[in-house]
Amino acid sequence: MLLAIHFAGADGHTVDGSAVVVGPGIALCAKHVVEPHLEGLLSGQIACLATGASEEGLQAWRISKVNEVPNTDLYIIGLTLASNVPKSGTFHQAVVSARIPEVGESLTLCGFRLDHTEAEIAGQSMVLHFAGNLLCCRGEVSQVFPQGRDRAMLPWPSVEVRCPAWGGMSGGPVFNTSGQLVGLVCSSFSDEEDSGPAYVSLLGPALTQGFSGGWPIEMSDGSSNLTDLSTRGVVTLV
């Protein structure tokens, strides 16, 4: 369910952040990861791909839709499978919790960070080799901001967690002790001890935001939202 977000263009290839699958062909990611590349994506100068590791190997998804959640750092993205369907026919997604974490509650932050990448030409195609690490940090909630921390840095619902979050983890999933998705990694402060804190965007504003996208069935009119999908057995909210 954890995805790495790839951008490829004339200037090379980067993995700038993470995302998490919340339904068939539907994922959540951080706005600040995708937004700098939007112009290139719309013009076709930049290609965007999301990849995730599974028991049967690498799964690759094309990012076909990008839906902004206004006044937040959240995007709802539509995915189309770009690799073979798993032999098991199984895809994984996170279970979303709408409950706001409390001070003192333990959260786990996850994300993918690229270590290195190499490209080689094979016939008429370019083959990309990349390696990286799944990063996980755990810490306690130290502050809760239901209406936003401030007007500039975090004006949306968020929480502060006593742990670091490193480069590449932006947009990655944040889980409570029951394994439920409660937010996405937004930003972090670092000090000499690399202890954070980290800031997590809460998911409440995204739950009722209309979006288009999905695979194998695309919701194309922009009127569907994550709470609608929960009644169809696609997304489980707790």
Side-chain angles (χ1 to χ4, degrees), residues 162-188:
R162 291 194 186 100
C163 72
W166 298 290
M169 294 181 70
S170 290
V174 179
F175 300 102
N176 61 21
T177 54
S178 297
Q180 299 157 350
L181 180 70
V182 298
L184 300 185
V185 177
C186 177
S187 60
S188 178

Side-chain angles (χ1 to χ4, degrees), residues 22 27 30 54 60 62 67 75 93 104 107 135 141-142 193 199 212 216 222:
V22 295
S54 73
R62 294 186 183 91
N67 307 270
Y75 271 176
Q93 67 180 63
L107 299 180
L135 304 177
V141 175
S142 51
E193 297 180 355
Y199 292 93
S212 58

Side-chain angles (χ1 to χ4, degrees), residues 88-222:
S88 64
T90 301
F91 294 91
H92 298 280
Q93 67 180 63
V95 174
V96 179
S97 175
R99 185 182 67 81
I100 297 177
E102 299 177 352
V103 171
E105 186 173 343
S106 179
L107 299 180
T108 300
L109 288 60
C110 304
F112 180 86
R113 182 167 63 181
L114 183 71
D115 279 349
H116 70 272
T117 179
E118 298 176 1
E120 63 180 48
I121 302 299
Q124 300 297 315
S125 302
M126 182 179 74
V127 179
L128 186 68
H129 303 274
F130 67 94
N133 293 288
L134 167 64
L135 304 177
C136 295
C137 302
R138 177 176 292 179
E140 291 185 351
V141 175
S142 51
Q143 296 189 74
V144 178
F145 309 104
Q147 305 301 322
R149 177 180 180 269
D150 52 57
R151 294 184 179 181
M153 178 182 170
L154 293 162
W156 48 80
S158 55
V159 297
E160 181 183 272
V161 186
R162 291 194 186 100
C163 72
W166 298 290
M169 294 181 70
S170 290
V174 179
F175 300 102
N176 61 21
T177 54
S178 297
Q180 299 157 350
L181 180 70
V182 298
L184 300 185
V185 177
C186 177
S187 60
S188 178
F189 290 129
S190 297
D191 56 25
E192 293 181 357
E193 297 180 355
D194 204 17
S195 59
Y199 292 93
V200 174
S201 298
L202 298 178
L203 303 181
L207 299 182
T208 56
Q209 175 64 37
F211 70 91
S212 58
W215 180 91
I217 300 174
E218 180 176 341
M219 284 64 72
S220 59
D221 60 0

